[in-house]
């Protein structure tokens, strides 16, 4: 509980945390009461200094709710869109307070009260305006924050390749691993040429029970600061039609390899008191996914594993993040035997991850995926979600595998 409270108030000054709590109070207690219980006859709302009453006030309340809910979330996560939005909104309140006081209480009393409250809100607006850097993504480079070397699994394609580019751009030297050595060599030359970083290529099969240990042995001489557990595959189809050996390899790759690599590299990070671990999960891990059953279970494993150790490591200088992409335009669908469907770019997904690293234990990329992963899975019963998912996933599954 103490940890949770520390986490809640971490990363922003006290006055901003107070604003966050006020927004949460308004969004979760006051405005629901105002909307659902307060009689229409006595309802009042002030917008831009003008007092609305009765039904006009009632109808306007959901807009206030959106403002305060966005404020609570924006301060909680310190989202970049809070600037200049929060400052402008508070400046609008300052003007509104002046207008309202002068209109409601004529004479010197109205002006005095209006000026005092407008001055207070103007000061708050100025503070929020000046707080811009606090809402910006991290400004220290990843190399400064975590150290020199990164290990990226599954770097020969898709999201892993995009991670390698993004990390090298931040000055990190990269160990690149996957099975296709040729592709890794080409990528390594690109990173060295474009970003001036060092690289090392390790061809390894992480679905082999000895694969992850072999990779960890090969990097034992390096100070690994950043681990991206990205290599993973899907396997589309009805469970009784699937090949058990292929499923076994998938579980080994998606679940066992991240555990072994994290377990082998983490102690040295803990000793140094800094490091980063990204585990690439999927929104598929948020719910049962018929026709992708074992895959969704492996990704649920990744999510729970990552979020658990993220909490264990809090306060020890190690940032752990589970990245949960939705459909992404990579070789994944083809490898999983799915019918092709559009997805986000791997680069966009990686940007979301690097922005969230150190701020939260897991992140879903894309607002639509976020709504599916959070709203739907929390509001609907799991059996119903599974039924809906079966019909959606069937559209991407070849007929002979349904
Ligand atoms: N694309 C999506 O729609 C999507 C959505 C949600 C989550 N994800 C997750 O994102 C991660 C990356 O997938 P991606 O979309 O970038 O797919 P991708 O383009 O197919 O890349 C997969 C990477 O994993 C490597 N890999 C596969 N089997 C391996 C093995 N046995 N040993 C070592 N490396 C292996 C591949 O390299 P080699 O073939 O050269 O070994 C490749 O570099 C996966 O964990 C996946 O579950 C993807």
């Amino acid at each position: 509980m103490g940890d949770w409270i520390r986490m809640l108030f971490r990363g922003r000054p006290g006055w901003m945390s107070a604003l966050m709590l006020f927004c949460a109070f308004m969004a979760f207690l006051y405005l629901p009461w105002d909307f659902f219980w307060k009689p229409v006859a006595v309802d009042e709302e002030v917008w831009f200094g003008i007092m609305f009453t009765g039904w006009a006030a009632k109808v306007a309340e959901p807009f206030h709710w959106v403002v305060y809910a966005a404020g609570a979330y924006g301060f909680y996560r310190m989202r970049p869109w809070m600037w200049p939005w929060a400052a402008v909104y508070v400046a609008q309140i300052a003007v509104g307070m002046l207008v309202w006081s002068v209109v409601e209480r004529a004479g010197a009393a109205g002006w005095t009260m209006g000026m005092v409250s407008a001055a207070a809100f103007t000061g708050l607006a100025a503070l929020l305006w000046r707080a811009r850097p606090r809402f910006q993504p991290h400004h220290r480079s990843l190399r400064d924050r975590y150290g020199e070397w990164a290990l990226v699994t599954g770097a020969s394609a898709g999201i892993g390749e995009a991670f390698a580019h993004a990390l090298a751009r931040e000055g990190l030297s990269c160990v690149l691993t996957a099975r296709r050595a040729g592709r890794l060599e080409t990528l390594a030359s690109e990173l060295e040429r474009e970003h001036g970083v060092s690289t090392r290529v390790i061809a390894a099969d992480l679905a082999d029970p000895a694969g992850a240990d072999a990779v960890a042995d090969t990097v034992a001489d390096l100070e690994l600061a950043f681990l991206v557990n990205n290599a993973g595959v899907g396997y589309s189809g009805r469970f009784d039609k699937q090949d058990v050996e292929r499923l076994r390899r998938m579980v080994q790759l998606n679940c066992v390899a991240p555990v072994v690599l994290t377990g082998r590299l983490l102690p040295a990070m803990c000793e140094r008191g800094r490091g980063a671990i990204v585990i690439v999960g999927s929104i598929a891990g948020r719910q049962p996914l018929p026709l992708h059953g074992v895959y969704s279970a492996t990704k649920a494993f990744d999510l729970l594993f990552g979020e658990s150790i993220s909490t264990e490591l809090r306060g020890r200088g190690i940032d752990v993040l589970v990245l949960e992409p939705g459909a992404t335009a990579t070789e994944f669908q083809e490898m999983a035997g799915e019918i092709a469907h559009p997805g986000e770019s791997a680069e966009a997904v990686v940007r979301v991850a690097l922005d969230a690293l150190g701020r939260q234990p897991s992140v879903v990329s894309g607002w639509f995926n976020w709504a599916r992963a959070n709203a739907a899975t929390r509001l609907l019963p799991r059996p119903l979600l599974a039924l809906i998912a079966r019909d959606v996933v069937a559209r991407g599954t070849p007929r002979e595998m349904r």
Side-chain angles (χ1 to χ4, degrees):
M1 185 68 179
D3 257 3
W4 183 81
I5 291 174
R6 265 193 297 281
M7 178 83 173
L8 184 65
F9 294 116
R10 196 180 74 167
R12 74 185 84 71
W15 63 270
M16 227 183 239
S17 289
L19 282 181
M20 175 184 75
L21 291 180
F22 176 70
C23 289
F25 164 77
M26 292 297 281
F28 298 116
L29 292 175
Y30 181 77
L31 284 167
W33 169 80
D34 210 22
F35 186 70
F36 291 111
W37 279 284
K38 202 178 198 182
V40 174
V42 291
D43 218 350
E44 292 179 337
E45 284 274 296
V46 179
W47 281 92
F48 311 108
I50 299 161
M51 171 80 86
F52 292 83
T53 54
W55 278 110
K58 203 50 106 190
V59 168
E61 270 157 15
F63 297 104
H64 257 150
W65 185 85
V66 170
V67 167
Y68 284 107
Y73 176 78
F75 283 124
Y76 175 53
R77 294 283 197 215
M78 294 302 280
R79 305 312 301 174
W81 47 259
M82 285 294 279
W83 193 93
W85 174 80
V88 171
Y89 184 75
V90 173
Q92 170 274 134
I93 297 180
V95 176
M97 289 304 284
L98 181 62
V99 173
W100 181 69
S101 301
V102 170
V103 171
E104 290 293 308
R105 297 171 176 234
W111 275 101
T112 310
M113 200 178 127
M115 296 296 272
V116 170
S117 44
F121 281 101
T122 304
L124 188 56
L127 274 178
L128 285 165
W129 184 265
R130 289 166 57 101
R132 181 181 191 181
R134 291 187 178 277
F135 294 111
Q136 295 306 304
H138 310 283
H139 30 259
R140 279 173 67 206
S141 77
L142 293 175
R143 183 177 164 135
D144 273 1
R145 278 160 62 194
Y146 299 114
E148 187 187 346
W149 279 90
L151 167 61
V152 182
T153 72
S156 61
I159 296 173
E161 187 179 345
F163 261 114
H165 275 289
L167 297 182
R169 209 174 295 124
E170 294 267 330
L172 280 138
S173 294
C174 292
V175 181
L176 309 169
T177 182
R179 290 166 305 178
R180 287 170 287 181
R183 283 191 179 205
L184 296 177
E185 295 290 357
T186 310
L187 174 61
S189 315
E190 266 172 43
L191 300 184
E192 286 176 14
R193 195 178 55 247
E194 289 172 19
H195 307 292
V197 297
S198 304
T199 60
R200 184 180 289 185
V201 163
I202 306 174
D205 183 354
L206 291 176
D208 181 315
D213 273 311
V215 171
D217 290 342
T218 316
V219 295
D221 60 318
L222 299 176
E223 281 200 354
L224 254 302
F226 202 119
L227 168 63
V228 184
N229 284 302
N230 160 76
V233 288
Y235 183 7
S236 166
R238 224 173 65 195
F239 183 65
D240 59 286
K241 293 187 175 187
Q242 288 181 320
D243 171 44
V244 174
E245 175 54 19
R246 187 168 161 191
L247 290 172
R248 189 192 64 75
R249 282 178 57 80
M250 181 167 77
V251 173
Q252 185 77 33
L253 176 67
N254 292 7
C255 303
V256 181
V259 171
V260 172
L261 280 173
T262 305
R264 291 283 308 267
L265 301 181
L266 184 59
M269 290 184 192
C270 288
E271 254 172 47
R272 290 194 294 274
R274 62 177 185 159
I277 294 168
V278 175
I279 298 170
V280 182
S282 166
I283 59 165
R286 289 291 185 108
Q287 62 164 92
L289 212 57
L291 302 173
H292 250 311
V294 180
Y295 176 69
S296 76
T298 65
K299 292 294 159 177
F301 177 98
D302 290 338
L303 175 64
L304 299 188
F305 166 55
E307 287 195 339
S308 302
I309 61 169
S310 164
T311 308
E312 286 174 22
L313 290 165
R314 196 171 290 159
R316 296 174 62 189
I318 318 291
D319 293 329
V320 180
L321 178 82
V322 183
L323 166 65
E324 298 170 272
T328 310
T330 65
E331 297 169 9
F332 176 88
Q333 297 171 11
E334 192 189 336
M335 297 294 168
E338 292 176 2
I339 297 168
H341 48 274
E344 279 186 289
S345 78
E347 290 71 23
V349 168
V350 168
R351 266 198 305 277
V352 169
L354 295 182
D355 181 28
L357 182 66
R359 294 178 190 266
Q360 56 203 74
S362 58
V363 68
V364 175
S365 66
W367 67 267
F368 183 63
N369 293 327
W370 183 90
R372 276 203 306 186
N374 288 285
T377 56
R378 280 170 205 190
L379 294 176
L380 300 178
R382 240 205 296 257
L384 177 59
L385 274 173
L387 276 174
I388 298 170
R390 186 188 58 186
D391 290 343
V392 175
V393 179
R395 285 181 229 141
T397 310
R399 186 171 296 280
E400 66 282 7
M401 287 303 285
R402 283 183 218 154

